[in-house]
Amino acid sequence: MRWIHAGTFFAGVARAMAMVTLVALSPVRAATLAGVELPDQATVGGKTLALNGLGLRTATFLKVEVYVIGLYLERKSSDAKAIIESSESRRIQMHFVRDVTAKELRDAWKDGFEDNYEDVSSIKGEIASFDASMRDVKTGDTMVLDFTGDTVDVLINGTKIDAVEGKPFQQALLGVWLGPKPPDDDLKEGILGR
């Protein structure tokens, strides 16, 4: 039997424990859902946001997956109302897992606004501007909605398409997923980190 010097043995144990501790304390670098990986952090308006949660949008009538969505916040929260009403920076990131036409996107937004915002007519101009920014998206494309101040920046595949002004519009847009009638209850629970 080979003898190990006690100092060497304990030094080795200490190194192994330190490695385990480092691995345990290291932040998760990404989260994955339905084969889509989203980063654990995003920078919006000079602020570092954390991934609050992930959800999967499934078209109910066809039972097909449409996109994976991530909600990024300055401080993690599971309070939908507080997130909608917050003045902090926020991000919605969608990674499409199937092709979707601009018309399909506009139709989905229309339903989401009507289902979750009481006074849609008061933000008609903002919705028209937002709808005009929609493009056909392909599998693998991303759409990012950055909420800073009273503005929503619309980016598709990293290119800024438009900026829509107005706090009521911001709240209505976040309400599409976080309001009382989201497109999918599991999606809402997922992005709330529940």
Side-chain angles (χ1 to χ4, degrees):
M1 176 189 253
R2 186 170 173 226
W3 292 97
I4 300 173
H5 185 271
T8 304
F9 173 76
F10 287 116
V13 169
R15 275 193 301 277
M17 288 176 65
M19 295 278 289
V20 169
T21 302
L22 282 175
V23 169
L25 294 177
S26 295
V28 177
R29 285 287 166 229
T32 304
L33 179 63
V36 174
E37 188 176 283
L38 292 182
D40 68 332
Q41 292 184 340
T43 302
V44 176
K47 305 271 179 81
T48 300
L49 311 185
L51 179 62
N52 196 65
L54 292 174
L56 177 63
R57 172 68 170 109
T58 303
T60 310
F61 56 99
L62 296 174
K63 297 289 186 206
V64 296
E65 296 173 349
V66 182
Y67 58 78
V68 171
I69 182 172
L71 171 63
Y72 293 83
L73 304 173
E74 288 185 35
R75 286 183 290 266
K76 290 191 175 193
S77 174
S78 61
D79 185 337
K81 186 174 187 285
I83 294 167
I84 290 171
E85 294 176 355
S86 174
S87 295
E88 294 182 346
S89 295
R90 292 148 294 170
R91 169 177 280 183
I92 290 282
Q93 182 168 330
M94 295 172 283
H95 182 99
F96 288 85
V97 294
R98 69 179 288 267
D99 295 355
V100 182
T101 67
K103 181 186 181 319
E104 289 171 320
L105 288 169
R106 286 190 290 271
D107 290 346
W109 298 128
K110 180 179 183 294
D111 291 343
F113 288 130
E114 289 175 354
D115 288 345
N116 294 287
Y117 196 71
E118 290 181 12
D119 191 9
V120 174
S121 63
S122 69
I123 56 169
K124 191 187 247 182
E126 291 88 341
I127 290 174
S129 178
F130 182 69
D131 282 348
S133 70
M134 292 301 105
R135 308 285 189 268
D136 293 348
V137 290
K138 302 291 184 191
T139 300
D141 285 353
T142 60
M143 181 183 297
V144 169
L145 306 171
D146 281 342
F147 299 75
T148 54
D150 288 339
T151 304
V152 178
D153 290 330
V154 180
L155 299 93
I156 298 177
N157 294 327
T159 300
K160 184 174 174 180
I161 306 297
D162 198 1
V164 183
E165 301 287 333
K167 190 71 174 172
F169 175 74
Q170 274 194 359
Q171 293 177 344
L173 185 54
L174 283 165
V176 167
W177 300 282
L178 296 174
K181 296 180 182 175
D184 184 311
D185 288 330
D186 289 339
L187 178 154
K188 179 178 176 178
E189 293 296 302
I191 64 175
L192 288 173
R194 296 179 179 161

